[in-house]
Amino acid sequence: MSDQMRYDGRVAIVTGAGGGLGRAHALLLASRGAKILVNDLGSSAKGDGADMGPADQVVAEIKAAGGEAAANTDSVVDGDKIVQAAMDAFGRLDILINNAGFLRDVGFHNMTEADWTDIYQVHLFGAFKVTHAAWPILREARYGRIINTSSAAGIYGNFGQVNYSTAKLGLHGFTQALAVEGRPRGIHVNTIAPAADSRLTRTVMTPEQLKNVQPDRVSPLAAWLCHESCNETGGLFESGGGWNAKLQWVRTKGTRVGAGEEFGPEAVRDAWGAITDFSEASNPGDFASSMAPLAEIMGNG
Ligand code: NAI
C-alpha cells in the first residue's frame, strides 16, 4: 500500500497488551514501525495474580514479525515504572494507550469496598499514574498521542457494573480535561469504547456472537487516533467489528424558569416539558460554549 500510515521512530506504551485489545493495538503499531513497550501484569480476568508470560509472548510475536518491542510487567498503579521502562528501552515516548483492566461485576447491593476500589485503581488511578509520568516527557517534546479505554458500560450504564461504569466514564472526563491542557503542546487525547472478543466478553457472549468482533477490528481506530496526521482530540468513539462512531453530548435548548418571581420546584415542574424537549437540542463542543446560556443570564442579571 503506497500511502500506508507509518509510525517509524515513534515509541508507544500499550498497557495490558499481553492479550485481547492491547495485544492487537501493539501488534498493529509495531507492524507499522513503532517500537512498543508491551506492558502487562498478567493478572486474571478478575484482577488476581501476576504472570510474566503474556507480555513476553507478545514481545516475541512482535520480534518474530520483524518489529521492536520490550516487555514490562509492572502494574499500571506503578505507572512511573512503566514510563521509565519505555525510556530505558527506547529513549523517548510518543504514544500511550491506557488499556489495562479487568472486571469485578456484582450487583451494587453486594458490592464490597474492595470491588469498588480495585476497579477504580486499575482503570482510573492506573491511567492517571501512567499518564502523569508520561506527561512531562510529552510536554517537553511538544508531541503526544494518548488513548484512554472506556466502555459502553460507562457511557450508558450496565447492571452489575457500577464500579466499572463509574471508572470508565471517569476516563472520558480525564480525556476531555487532558485534551484541553495538551492541545497547546501538541498532545492529543481521545477515548475509545471498544467491543471485542476477549476473555472479558467471553464470559457473557458466545463464540458465535464474538466471531466478527475480534480485537484487531478495533485497533485501526486506535492507531489512526495515535497517528501524527490525526488532529482529533478530546473525542469519544465507539468501535467494534470495524464499525466506528463518534459520540457527543446532546443538550436540550433548555429554558430559564423563575426569573424575577418566586422560584420553587413548582416552576421546574411546570417547565418540565421545555427543559426535557430535545427537538431543538445542540451539542456544546467545549466548556466555553456550554456556558453560553449562563453567560447570558449572568450578563442580564
Ligand atoms: P483482556 O483481559 O484480554 O486484557 C486486559 C489486560 O490487562 C490483561 O492482559 C491483564 O493481564 C492486563 N492487566 C490487568 N490489570 C493490570 C494492571 N494492574 N497492570 C497492567 N496490566 C493489567 O481484556 P480486553 O477485553 O482486551 O480489555 C482491554 C480494555 O478494554 C480494558 O480496559 C477493558 O475494560 C476495555 N473494554 C473491553 C471491552 C471488550 O468488549 N472486550 C468492552 C469495553 C471495554
Side-chain angles (χ1 to χ4, degrees):
M1 216 188 298
S2 59
D3 71 337
Q4 190 190 58
M5 285 167 49
R6 300 285 308 176
Y7 301 79
D8 301 300
R10 299 291 185 196
V11 171
I13 293 173
V14 185
T15 70
L21 287 154
R23 171 179 168 274
H25 302 335
L27 292 178
L28 178 57
L29 290 175
S31 75
R32 303 297 184 100
K35 296 170 190 160
I36 315 290
L37 188 86
V38 176
N39 160 265
D40 203 293
L41 178 63
S43 53
S44 76
K46 287 195 167 181
D48 312 310
D51 178 6
M52 296 282 292
D56 282 344
Q57 195 179 326
V58 173
V59 168
E61 279 184 79
I62 289 173
K63 287 186 173 168
E68 266 190 76
N72 169 273
T73 53
D74 286 305
S75 168
V76 286
V77 301
D78 297 316
D80 45 334
K81 293 185 186 167
I82 297 171
V83 171
Q84 192 58 53
M87 295 304 285
D88 290 347
F90 304 119
R92 63 179 290 150
L93 180 61
D94 304 280
I95 295 166
L96 166 59
I97 302 184
N98 287 312
N99 165 81
F102 55 81
L103 296 173
R104 193 74 62 71
D105 293 358
V106 57
F108 190 57
H109 56 292
N110 287 321
M111 188 172 289
T112 64
E113 195 172 319
D115 293 330
W116 171 270
T117 306
D118 291 354
I119 287 295
Y120 159 76
Q121 286 278 333
V122 68
H123 291 280
L124 202 43
F125 183 67
F128 158 74
K129 284 289 285 192
V130 188
T131 308
H132 197 236
W135 199 248
I137 298 167
L138 304 180
R139 273 175 55 87
E140 176 73 22
R142 304 190 87 86
Y143 181 83
R145 296 287 182 268
I146 300 175
I147 307 278
N148 293 312
T149 308
S150 184
S151 166
I155 300 168
Y156 304 109
N158 199 21
F159 190 91
Q161 297 195 309
V162 171
N163 49 0
Y164 181 74
S165 298
T166 305
K168 285 307 205 186
L169 194 55
L171 278 165
H172 186 52
F174 185 56
T175 287
Q176 291 181 115
L178 275 180
V180 172
E181 294 197 19
R183 193 191 297 267
R185 292 273 178 157
I187 306 169
H188 297 174
V189 192
N190 288 286
T191 307
I192 63 170
D197 179 18
S198 82
R199 64 183 188 171
L200 300 187
T201 40
R202 259 170 251 152
T203 55
V204 286
M205 282 183 246
T206 64
E208 186 56 31
Q209 286 173 311
L210 292 167
K211 188 171 56 130
N212 294 328
V213 290
Q214 292 306 303
D216 66 359
R217 302 291 101 180
V218 172
S219 299
L221 170 68
W224 160 241
L225 292 171
C226 288
H227 195 260
E228 61 197 21
S229 66
C230 180
N231 288 321
E232 190 77 38
T233 191
L236 170 60
F237 302 88
E238 284 185 82
S239 179
W243 171 77
N244 296 286
K246 182 172 182 179
L247 282 88
Q248 290 181 328
W249 296 109
V250 180
R251 184 168 74 181
T252 66
K253 183 164 183 251
T255 187
R256 187 180 181 192
V257 291
E261 72 234 31
E262 196 185 330
F263 186 29
E266 299 79 12
V268 177
R269 178 197 59 200
D270 296 344
W272 200 240
I275 291 169
T276 59
D277 175 11
F278 276 90
S279 62
E280 293 181 73
S282 65
N283 313 93
D286 56 34
F287 188 79
S289 59
S290 83
M291 295 296 284
L294 282 169
E296 204 174 303
I297 289 170
M298 289 169 183
N300 294 341

